[in-house]
Amino acid sequence: MHNYANSCKLTIWVPNFINSHAISGLASLVLLNLNRCGICDEGCEKLEGLVKLKVLNLGFNHITDACLVHLRELINLECLNLDSCKIGDEGLLHLKGLLQLRSLELSDTAVGSNGLRHLSGLRNLHSMNLSFTVITDIGLKKIAGMNSLRSLNLDNRQITDNGLAALTTLTGLTHLDLFGARITDAGTNCLRCFKGLRSLELCGGLITDAGVKNIKDLKDLTLLNLSQNGNLTDKTLEIISGLTALVSLNLSSSRVSNAGLHHLRPLQNLRSLSLDSCKVTACEIKKLQLAALPNLVSVRPE
Ligand SMILES: *[C@@H]1O[C@H](CO)[C@@H](O)[C@H](O)[C@H]1NC(C)=O
Ligand SMILES: *[C@@H]1O[C@H](CO)[C@@H](O)[C@H](O)[C@H]1NC(C)=O
Ligand SMILES: *[C@@H]1O[C@H](CO)[C@@H](O)[C@H](O)[C@H]1NC(C)=O
Ligand SMILES: *[C@@H]1O[C@H](CO)[C@@H](O)[C@H](O)[C@H]1NC(C)=O
């Protein structure tokens, strides 16, 4: 038996001076933030009555799938945060009917491919964070029909080119985080489908200049993180020089050098440039900043 002592029990604290009328008023709560409150399953039944809730943050608590049963009736929920909770596939069954959900945070949980089938009917979901879960490529097929998705976090070593290929139906994506995913140059072909992409993180180490060619037509990109791809060269800077909407660019830990910096001159909207652990000196970046990129306010190395 776990013993989380009293910290574990969910008690909705109401000051003494508030009368019973006000207490019943809790049923009209719209937002409840219980992040890092030390809650476990005992007491979760108290959430059942909060049927007006639109935003519920249960991140970083000890709750398991057994707690999620009590969320079934919270059909007005639009944002649910379960970051780093002890939940897995079975628990997601109870979220199936939460059809108003727009944002679902499941990162750092034991959620895997099987659980995703319970979410495929959430037709309003705009944002889903599946980073650091145990989801694999197979699981991604189950979310291929969720074309309301705009933002998807999949910072996850198990995800490969095959998983990305399953997502090409999600043509409305504007934010795609594949930070640690094992995407290769071959997989970057799939990125062409996401024409409205504004933010892309692809840092698994397997991309070369050839793969970057598949990114060059994503003209809406404002944030691009290709750091930790140790084989990217100055050629990459040349290829992305047409992405003039870019505001943040990160090519840290690559082979980019001082010689390539001039390719960045057309990027007039650039505010943040990160080239740590490259063959680039602070002095040369400073020169570029002064001569051509007046909006650049954050540079690494500095
Ligand atoms: C997704 O989860 C990761 C890991 O917890 C976190 O770093 C990131 O900020 C989250 N992203 C969003 C959009 O919530
Ligand atoms: C990166 O370059 C190294 C050394 O040239 C090579 O062994 C490796 O296969 C390259 N990686 C990729 C993903 O092409
Ligand atoms: C990747 O780089 C971008 C742009 O600098 C930055 O906003 C983002 O936080 C970085 N991602 C991670 C996981 O560090
Ligand atoms: C660039 O990305 C790395 C991860 O590879 C991250 O640690 C760093 O903070 C990012 N730089 C900026 C300025 O966001």
Side-chain angles (χ1 to χ4, degrees), residues 179 201 223 225 248 250 272:
F179 192 90
E201 304 204 31
L223 184 149
N225 192 344
S248 296
N250 194 337
S272 167

Coordinates of all heavy atoms in Angstrom, one line a residue, residues 179 201 223 225 248 250 272, ligand 3:
F179 N 11.3 16.8 -31.4 CA 12.6 17.1 -30.9 C 13.5 15.9 -30.9 O 14.5 15.9 -31.6 CB 12.5 17.7 -29.4 CG 13.8 18.3 -29.0 CD1 14.1 19.6 -29.2 CD2 14.8 17.5 -28.3 CE1 15.4 20.1 -28.8 CE2 16.0 18.0 -27.9 CZ 16.3 19.3 -28.1
E201 N 10.3 21.5 -34.6 CA 11.5 21.1 -33.8 C 11.9 19.7 -34.3 O 11.1 18.7 -34.2 CB 11.3 21.1 -32.3 CG 10.9 22.5 -31.9 CD 11.2 22.7 -30.4 OE1 12.2 22.2 -29.9 OE2 10.4 23.5 -29.8
L223 N 9.4 29.5 -36.1 CA 10.4 28.9 -35.2 C 10.9 27.6 -35.8 O 10.1 26.8 -36.2 CB 9.7 28.6 -33.8 CG 10.7 28.1 -32.8 CD1 10.2 28.5 -31.4 CD2 10.8 26.5 -32.8
N225 N 13.8 24.7 -35.0 CA 14.9 24.2 -34.2 C 15.4 22.9 -34.8 O 14.8 21.9 -34.8 CB 14.4 23.9 -32.8 CG 15.5 23.6 -31.8 OD1 16.6 23.3 -32.2 ND2 15.2 23.6 -30.5
S248 N 12.7 32.7 -34.7 CA 13.7 32.0 -33.9 C 14.3 30.8 -34.7 O 13.6 30.0 -35.3 CB 13.0 31.3 -32.7 OG 12.5 32.3 -31.8
N250 N 17.4 27.9 -34.4 CA 18.4 27.2 -33.5 C 19.1 26.1 -34.3 O 18.5 25.1 -34.8 CB 17.6 26.5 -32.3 CG 18.5 26.1 -31.2 OD1 19.7 25.9 -31.4 ND2 18.0 26.0 -30.0
S272 N 15.9 35.7 -32.5 CA 16.7 34.8 -31.7 C 17.5 33.8 -32.6 O 16.9 33.2 -33.5 CB 15.8 34.0 -30.8 OG 16.5 33.0 -30.2
Ligands
LIG3 C1 14.5 24.7 -29.8 O1 14.9 26.0 -30.2 C2 13.9 26.9 -30.2 C3 14.4 28.2 -30.8 O2 15.6 28.7 -30.2 C4 13.5 27.2 -28.7 O3 12.4 28.1 -28.7 C5 13.1 25.8 -28.1 O4 12.8 26.0 -26.8 C6 14.1 24.8 -28.3 N1 13.6 23.5 -27.9 C7 14.1 22.9 -26.8 C8 13.5 21.6 -26.4 O5 15.1 23.3 -26.2

